[in-house]
Amino acid sequence: MISITFPDGAVRNYEKGITPLAIAESLSRSLAEKVLAAEINGKVCDATQPIRSDASLRLLTWNDKEGQMTFWHSTAHLMAEAIEKKFPGAKFWVGPPIENPKGFYYDVDLGDRKISEEDLAELENIMKELSKQKNPYIRKEMSKKEAVAYYTEKGDEYKLDLLQHLNDGEITFYTQGNFTDLCRGPHIPHTGLIKAIKLTNIAGAYWKGDEKNKQLTRIYGVSFPSQKELDEHLQMLEEAKKRDHRKLGKELGIYTMDEDVGPGLIMWLPNGSVIIEELEKLAKETEQKAGYKRVVTPHLAKESMYLTSGHLPYYADSMFPPMEIDGEKYYLKAMNCPHHHKIFASSPRSYRDLPLRLAEYGTVYRYEQSGELFGLMRVRCMHMNDAHIYCTREQFNEEFRAVNEMYLKYFKIFGIEKYVMRLSLHAPEKLGIKYVNEPELWIETENMVRQVLKESGIPYVEVPDEAAFYGPKIDVQIFSVIGREFTLATNQVDFSQGRRFGLHYTTADNTTDTPIIIHRAPLGTHERFIGFLLEHYAGKFPLWLSPVQVKILPISDKFLPYAKEIHEKLLLVGIRSETDERNEKIGKKIRDAELAKVPYMIITGEKEISENKISVRKRGKGDLGSQSVEEFIKILLKEIEERTAD
RNA sequence: GCCGUUGUAGCUCAGUGGUAGAGCACUUCCUUGGUAAGGAAGAGGUCGUGAGUUCAAUUCUCAUCAACGGCUCCA
């Protein structure tokens, strides 16, 4: 007998070699039907794996993340079985479950054959048939020699490549129905549990993620234990699409693009420009209080400066090609740093001048590959909330911490809670290639940044090989509604550029030293930040950011003069007001103002004129009753001044 | 840049080998109406661009541009 400890602390005794599935059955029949996998002593494995000694056990169902991942992984195998049936001889790479978007994919080499959208429906049907067979997922261990022989016979170079990195004792195969795959598992008990399947799309994916390699066909899908859950999931995706910043950006008149202007080049419409102005106002206020100095720099610079900075030739692929004037090459700037460094260098600096904080909403141009462009999130011309802080080594911690606090202050204003702080580190093996070759400086600055993060108590993750070439950084990662991950803001350390530009200051003991530079962009770029805000607020901007803050809706055109009077009063105190002068009924005007997501509506008619008041309606909340214009203005100005969340 | 899909009116989308439609928006008229769509009439497109096949192309083929779903990459 062995004793099994359950998550609630209960201990029960079972026969040696019992499976988690059998234990579930001993507890309840309905539970056994839901078990997808099991966690034995903290390790996720098959629910059909025998337990041979005392252990702690957690039965995993659809309600557990691990249960879902196992479920999707098993569905990927089921899809592979269907693909093999429809495309005999197809070779498989890997087929993992994924969290964002939910589901799974499998990378396949179909040879010369092509797969189309119509084939997906057919594959789905094959999968449903196979699911009905309730085929068990059977685990089998194999020696490396056997496994290599198996795939050599099959002529499968992909699985042979996978095998290279595995050793005897860690090679397992799983078989369900007629499909066998090299796989570490775990898997669900049988295919019958997969009741609802949707294959979502076909994409190309480079083998091993390297664009020099052959491109495999990647098929994405998602599955659920019931049709109802699949329907709900698809419904949710539809809802998410409604708050896609590209859709909202068009509907709300935020921005536009034009083929004649060029891909990735945003034109901000009046409504979008208001948001830009408000964001810049916030940044300027905040930075002014934090001791920043504003500068303005040109959009171009000569080749020589980018050779100095090191951006050329290494960054050349991301820059627009140069233009030649008077025998000199000029580049559109892809970053503001070199210009700011030149400003630092423009006059002798003393330690008394530090920290020097130079800020600019700088326009930069990057030649992003055409396929990478994405609405406002990825563009070729962007406006960056940039600043460079030149400080001594002693000042670094405090400066870096202050920048982090600025981030948190901003995030509070915008109610940004779903983000990941990522400490991006270098990779030692890429020193001198991707990163400046200063091993001890890397370690030192990374420790400095880590210390600041630890002291501030901000949760973060460390990720190697994500640093800038000149130093470690903190990235703020967010997700778009369709699940794509982006860096919203960045805070970078730079111990290299200062030296390259020959920047120095006189120290207290009359020697010279090179400043450490902090590159920071807490509001990222206007493009990405507003794209993010559109989705974050679902287009319902708080009052202070709303392009139109108040819409005045006269009951009929008899009351237009009174509406105009109120409109003038609002404009006078700086409230962005518009009047709906159309010959429409009040219901229609309200509907349109609500759809335009205007925060406040003022309704004026006979009653209001006689009482010398206005009727106020709030977006999403309805009628607030009547009040005087002066009272209303006072409330709004306070809400705007305090940048209230909504 | 690569793999795949798409491209028809300002927007959302039907449709056809014989030079095109709907709803909303827009204009005009009727209506002057109290908290999410009043009625009528009208105006709008060389069907992304270029070439080919054909008596005839918006429709079929090819190229090209752009957008979209991914990969790679990134603020």
Side-chain angles (χ1 to χ4, degrees):
Chain A
M1 296 293 270
I2 53 170
S3 58
I4 300 294
T5 311
F6 292 89
D8 62 358
V11 178
R12 282 161 171 258
N13 293 322
Y14 290 97
E15 292 279 333
K16 188 173 173 183
I18 191 164
T19 65
L21 195 57
I23 291 176
E25 230 150 281
S26 78
L27 296 171
S28 113
R29 173 104 207 110
S30 65
L31 175 64
E33 281 168 9
K34 285 187 203 147
V35 169
L36 300 172
E39 191 183 279
I40 302 172
N41 293 328
K43 191 170 172 265
V44 181
C45 52
D46 298 335
T48 51
Q49 178 168 315
I51 309 174
R52 301 192 198 284
S53 57
D54 291 355
S56 67
L57 174 71
R58 190 160 73 99
L59 295 167
L60 300 171
T61 67
W62 185 253
N63 295 327
D64 302 289
K65 191 178 136 197
E66 299 91 335
Q68 296 191 0
M69 295 309 250
T70 307
F71 190 86
W72 287 327
H73 185 189
S74 296
T75 313
H77 278 233
L78 185 66
M79 179 170 79
E81 186 179 0
I83 292 170
E84 198 168 58
K85 199 166 172 184
K86 184 166 163 55
F87 300 95
K91 292 174 192 172
F92 297 90
W93 172 234
V94 292
I98 44 174
E99 272 186 84
N100 214 339
K102 288 182 175 185
F104 58 87
Y105 66 80
Y106 218 121
D107 283 350
V108 194
D109 182 353
L110 296 171
D112 304 332
R113 289 163 296 190
K114 287 211 167 156
I115 185 166
S116 70
E117 303 278 341
E118 291 99 70
D119 294 324
L120 291 185
E122 196 184 329
L123 284 175
E124 266 176 38
N125 288 333
I126 299 175
M127 288 171 74
K128 282 171 193 162
E129 287 305 311
L130 293 169
S131 155
K132 281 183 194 149
Q133 295 174 9
K134 299 191 179 178
N135 292 321
Y137 287 84
I138 300 160
R139 180 187 175 92
K140 188 186 169 201
E141 288 185 21
M142 218 187 256
S143 71
K144 183 161 182 171
K145 209 173 160 188
E146 265 181 293
V148 169
Y150 174 75
Y151 280 121
T152 306
E153 162 83 34
K154 255 187 132 178
D156 190 331
E157 64 269 33
Y158 302 106
K159 295 295 179 184
L160 284 171
D161 186 88
L162 280 179
L163 279 168
Q164 270 183 19
H165 309 285
L166 295 171
N167 296 311
D168 277 326
E170 47 185 32
I171 296 171
T172 54
F173 280 72
Y174 277 84
T175 302
Q176 96 275 359
N178 291 317
F179 180 75
T180 297
D181 199 2
L182 170 70
C183 179
R184 96 162 61 87
H187 281 285
I188 59 176
H190 64 87
T191 59
L193 295 164
I194 305 165
K195 294 238 164 55
I197 305 160
K198 176 80 189 163
L199 300 187
T200 47
N201 54 333
I202 306 168
Y206 297 108
W207 183 41
K208 294 187 185 181
D210 188 334
E211 61 184 324
K212 288 181 196 75
N213 281 343
K214 177 172 181 174
Q215 201 156 43
L216 304 175
T217 302
R218 177 172 293 181
I219 305 175
Y220 284 89
V222 67
S223 61
F224 291 88
S226 75
Q227 185 64 36
K228 184 167 166 270
E229 277 158 304
L230 172 61
D231 292 342
E232 282 169 6
H233 175 75
L234 295 176
Q235 180 71 31
M236 219 185 63
L237 290 182
E238 284 303 309
E239 287 301 313
K241 271 192 200 154
K242 286 187 192 160
R243 59 196 290 169
D244 188 309
H245 75 276
R246 292 165 298 184
K247 186 170 156 62
L248 287 171
K250 188 178 271 177
E251 285 171 1
L252 301 177
I254 303 295
Y255 75 98
T256 191
M257 291 194 259
D258 187 281
E259 285 197 23
D260 279 338
V261 175
L265 300 173
I266 303 296
M267 287 178 286
W268 292 97
L269 301 173
N271 284 349
S273 305
V274 167
I275 299 170
I276 286 183
E277 299 269 338
E278 288 296 339
L279 289 176
E280 291 200 9
K281 204 157 89 186
L282 170 67
K284 285 173 186 171
E285 269 174 33
T286 309
E287 286 162 5
Q288 191 262 335
K289 282 180 198 156
Y292 287 67
K293 307 282 182 206
R294 298 205 79 77
V295 295
V296 176
T297 61
H299 293 199
L300 295 167
K302 274 161 52 177
E303 180 181 38
S304 54
M305 183 166 76
Y306 294 111
L307 289 171
T308 303
S309 70
H311 286 105
L312 287 177
Y314 302 109
Y315 203 73
D317 284 350
S318 297
M319 294 173 74
F320 276 84
M323 54 194 105
E324 227 170 287
I325 300 154
D326 299 335
E328 291 278 5
K329 280 184 184 162
Y330 284 81
Y331 282 86
L332 280 169
K333 67 176 170 182
M335 63 293 300
N336 301 302
C337 353
H339 284 93
H340 289 186
H341 299 341
K342 289 294 186 187
I343 290 178
F344 181 93
S346 67
S347 88
R349 306 287 179 182
S350 147
Y351 73 98
R352 293 172 189 277
D353 300 325
L354 305 188
L356 181 69
R357 310 179 189 91
L358 301 179
E360 172 178 22
Y361 247 108
T363 310
V364 298
Y365 301 85
R366 294 186 186 172
Y367 179 72
E368 305 292 354
Q369 294 187 64
S370 59
E372 293 166 348
L373 301 172
F374 176 61
L376 285 175
M377 299 299 219
R378 197 76 187 278
V379 296
R380 284 182 174 162
C381 169
M382 66 214 91
H383 300 81
M384 196 176 290
N385 172 227
D386 217 351
H388 296 89
I389 301 171
Y390 303 84
C391 63
T392 67
R393 206 161 284 209
E394 293 70 40
Q395 290 166 336
F396 174 80
N397 267 28
E398 197 186 321
E399 287 302 312
F400 201 78
R401 183 179 301 109
V403 170
N404 259 300
E405 272 156 24
M406 189 182 284
Y407 275 65
L408 298 179
K409 191 196 146 191
Y410 282 141
F411 289 0
K412 204 171 163 201
I413 290 173
F414 296 104
I416 302 174
E417 282 158 3
K418 264 183 70 185
Y419 62 89
V420 178
M421 281 260 188
R422 183 178 76 186
L423 171 53
S424 299
L425 308 169
H426 78 296
E429 68 275 14
K430 293 188 184 166
L431 283 171
I433 305 162
K434 191 173 163 187
Y435 305 108
V436 291
N437 197 2
E438 301 273 5
E440 58 300 322
L441 265 173
W442 276 102
I443 303 293
E444 187 188 333
T445 49
E446 285 173 1
N447 281 333
M448 283 158 80
V449 174
R450 191 180 287 115
Q451 196 190 335
V452 168
L453 276 171
K454 277 190 178 152
E455 282 171 13
S456 62
I458 305 165
Y460 67 96
V461 293
E462 294 197 11
V463 182
D465 201 14
E466 286 286 343
F469 74 88
Y470 44 65
K473 58 179 178 167
I474 296 173
D475 292 321
V476 180
Q477 302 299 110
I478 51 105
F479 294 89
S480 82
V481 284
I482 63 167
R484 217 177 283 183
E485 181 177 356
F486 287 99
T487 300
L488 186 66
T490 182
N491 187 7
Q492 315 180 345
V493 186
D494 178 353
F495 50 76
S496 157
Q497 295 272 293
R499 247 185 267 168
R500 291 194 73 116
F501 276 85
L503 304 184
H504 50 80
Y505 60 92
T506 308
T507 63
D509 47 12
N510 204 24
T511 57
T512 60
D513 204 350
T514 302
I516 294 190
I517 304 163
I518 298 171
H519 304 236
R520 40 110 283 174
L523 298 176
T525 63
H526 280 320
E527 285 71 16
R528 189 172 287 178
F529 203 77
I530 292 173
F532 167 78
L533 288 183
L534 270 166
E535 301 190 350
H536 176 66
Y537 292 124
K540 291 180 203 130
F541 288 101
L543 187 65
W544 71 280
L545 277 174
S546 287
V548 177
Q549 295 170 313
V550 177
K551 191 107 188 178
I552 302 169
L553 315 176
I555 296 281
S556 81
D557 47 16
K558 279 193 294 197
F559 312 109
L560 268 175
Y562 186 62
K564 278 226 161 77
E565 208 178 290
I566 295 160
H567 176 68
E568 295 296 333
K569 282 185 184 171
L570 293 175
L571 288 189
L572 207 63
V573 295
I575 292 174
R576 296 185 287 272
S577 157
E578 279 182 8
T579 309
D580 190 340
E581 299 182 5
R582 292 176 307 166
N583 180 4
E584 293 287 351
K585 287 193 171 175
I586 192 66
K588 172 77 167 164
K589 291 182 182 179
I590 288 172
R591 178 180 156 81
D592 288 346
E594 288 276 354
L595 289 177
K597 306 184 200 300
V598 176
Y600 286 102
M601 286 146 267
I602 290 179
I603 289 140
T604 56
E606 192 62 53
K607 191 165 72 104
E608 287 75 16
I609 292 184
S610 64
E611 293 173 0
N612 196 25
K613 284 189 170 178
I614 53 172
S615 286
V616 178
R617 186 187 158 99
K618 192 166 177 176
R619 172 183 68 197
K621 299 249 164 46
D623 196 353
L624 295 187
S626 63
Q627 53 189 292
S628 72
V629 183
E630 289 67 30
E631 217 178 324
F632 177 73
I633 285 177
K634 212 173 130 191
I635 294 169
L636 258 64
L637 287 181
K638 184 161 184 282
E639 200 178 324
I640 292 167
E641 160 89 22
E642 292 175 358
R643 298 194 169 99
T644 308
D646 185 33

